[in-house]
Each structure stands twice: as C-alpha cells, then as structure tokens.
Amino acid sequence: MQCKSLRDSDSVIESFDLKYFMASSADDVEALKRFKQENEASFTMLSDKGGSAAKAFGAYNPIGFAKRWTIYVDDNGKILKVDKNVNVRTAGQDLADNLSELGFPKR
C-alpha cells in the first residue's frame, strides 16, 4: 500500500530537485525487482538483506526488517527530519508535504 501511495504521487515527488530517493527493504534483489514491476514503482529500491542500512539509521526492527520510517537528508548529509509515523495510505502526499515544509527546492 505504501508503494502504491508513493507511485501515485510520482508527479508531485518528481517536482522536487532531489538527488536520490529510495525505499529500503530486507528482501533480496530479485524479490525487489518483482515487487517493483508488479507495483509499477518508479523509485529506486535498496536491498538491505542484513539490515545494515536500517541499523545505521536506527530504523532496524529486531524481528528482521526496517521500520516504516522516512528519513529526510539534505545535500550535506544532515538529517533534517525522521518521520516515524508513516501512514501507508498517504505516504506519497505526506512525503511531498514534508519535502515542501523542509524547503527542498523544486525543479
């Protein structure tokens, strides 16, 4: 559901001048390729099988997967916001609203 919300907000998200946007998953690369294709996702997906990326951001769930957090990082690598209350139904619009609120530039 979160993937579809992000997909459905593509045009709004793509209006921002972002260097990189991705979703992280504990699934392997092949599973992510299938998932991306099945859900028509346009964004990059990171296979974080061992959870090292999620652990680095404190977003690793001991059960074995990344928490549904959105981490906003500026061009200098500074973390501007960590949204720990992601709503899967409105994730795309919420992402766009936060990007605007945080002052990310538009294209």
Side-chain angles (χ1 to χ4, degrees):
M1 180 132 348
Q2 182 177 7
C3 178
K4 290 178 181 178
S5 176
L6 294 170
R7 179 202 62 205
D8 293 347
S9 298
D10 265 353
S11 62
V12 178
I13 295 168
E14 289 175 359
S15 71
F16 288 91
D17 188 18
L18 301 175
K19 300 260 190 273
Y20 194 65
F21 173 71
M22 69 164 191
S24 177
S25 171
D27 294 324
D28 64 35
V29 173
E30 289 306 313
L32 286 179
K33 283 181 185 177
R34 286 190 305 276
F35 181 83
K36 185 173 178 170
Q37 185 176 25
E38 290 168 5
N39 290 282
E40 301 173 9
S42 62
F43 48 88
T44 302
M45 300 183 89
L46 169 71
S47 175
D48 188 24
K49 190 107 170 111
S52 60
K55 288 174 186 172
F57 284 100
Y60 188 74
N61 187 319
I63 297 171
F65 55 87
K67 296 176 183 175
R68 287 188 190 273
W69 291 1
T70 302
I71 302 169
Y72 299 85
V73 182
D74 71 9
D75 285 346
N76 298 313
K78 180 181 176 188
I79 295 174
L80 302 177
K81 180 176 183 172
V82 178
D83 181 358
K84 296 181 180 181
N85 298 306
V86 174
N87 180 329
V88 296
R89 295 184 187 278
T90 61
Q93 187 58 53
D94 295 344
L95 176 71
D97 291 347
N98 280 313
L99 290 170
S100 185
E101 186 180 296
L102 291 168
F104 281 84
K106 294 271 193 159
R107 293 187 191 274

